[in-house]
Amino acid sequence: MLYIARALTALLLAPVALGATGTADDAARELTVAKAAVLGIVEGVTEYLPVSSTGHILIAQDLMGIGETDATEDAADTFAITIQAGAILAVLLLYFGRVRSMAAGLVGRDTAGRHVIGTLAIAFVPAALVGFALDDTIKDRLYGPVPIAIAWAVGGVVILVAARWLRGRPDGTMTLEAMPVRVALLIGAAQIAALWPGTSRSLVTILAALALGLSVPAALEFSFLLGLATLTAATGYEALRNGGNLFDTYGTAELVVGFVTAFVAAVLAVRWLVSYLSRHGMDLFGWYRIGIAGVALVLLATGTL
């Protein structure tokens, strides 16, 4: 699926050159329905895999010439964040039983659900606070091909080293219902590293959870659910802050297409990841990250990015 997303991106038409104050027609050409579909696929495939959806989206936008002018930059960023709603819906449906349990826990009708939602809240806070405080700094200094390529490569090496270490120890057995508050807090602290674009929230969450003793299914589920909370907060905040500009700059059709393709791609990606990691290790993702970092550096060297 990752290779399909990359191939679709590479096959798109060359970017449209816009002036610093592009018109509505320029914006319409900049983000076509086809490009919106590609961004949706990239978002859905990479959101829950340990490969960094942010890195892939930023590179894809760069390759397709989306958000390159002052008139469209903010709208393009908002579009990329808003279509995460498709990935949110995917987890809501795939883990509906757990979500329903947590909802019952909020009103005191499900002890296990209340415990899980409590640990998710604890794990959510550290990165949310740091990300809110450093949002502008991160965007100004780290949202670019070089920092992303570095994060991809470093994350790939970390995966390969961690995978070897994990193979040398007994599999974890901790369930979400038995997760101590301390473990949730440590996973949340690890998520701060994922504020560097290209690192991957899923990567640090899954590795931290496995290292702290969670079983593979529990680590994956916690990563998905924590992503649900994080994405909902980010999507809601960005939609309220810049949603009007998004619709004024682009249009409804592109947003709908991005949402739908992100949803379908995320459903397929989550199902595949659960099946794959239950039988294999994470080495594949380590080598993929190193490979995609190399591709990004080549594109930079040739002036494509």
Side-chain angles (χ1 to χ4, degrees), residues 120-208:
L120 286 171
I122 291 168
F124 170 81
V125 169
L129 291 177
V130 175
F132 182 78
L134 300 180
D135 182 53
D136 291 337
T137 301
I138 291 171
K139 286 184 177 180
D140 291 341
R141 300 186 180 183
L142 299 178
Y143 271 55
V146 173
I148 288 171
I150 292 172
W152 268 334
V154 171
V157 173
V158 169
I159 286 178
L160 295 177
V161 172
R164 177 172 295 184
W165 176 70
L166 288 169
R167 283 195 293 269
R169 51 173 283 175
D171 292 339
T173 58
M174 187 187 302
T175 63
L176 297 191
E177 293 82 0
M179 180 190 295
V181 169
R182 174 185 61 86
V183 171
L185 185 59
L186 289 172
I187 293 174
Q191 278 210 105
I192 294 174
L195 294 174
W196 185 305
T199 301
S200 172
R201 178 200 55 77
S202 297
L203 167 62
V204 295
T205 303
I206 293 170
L207 286 183

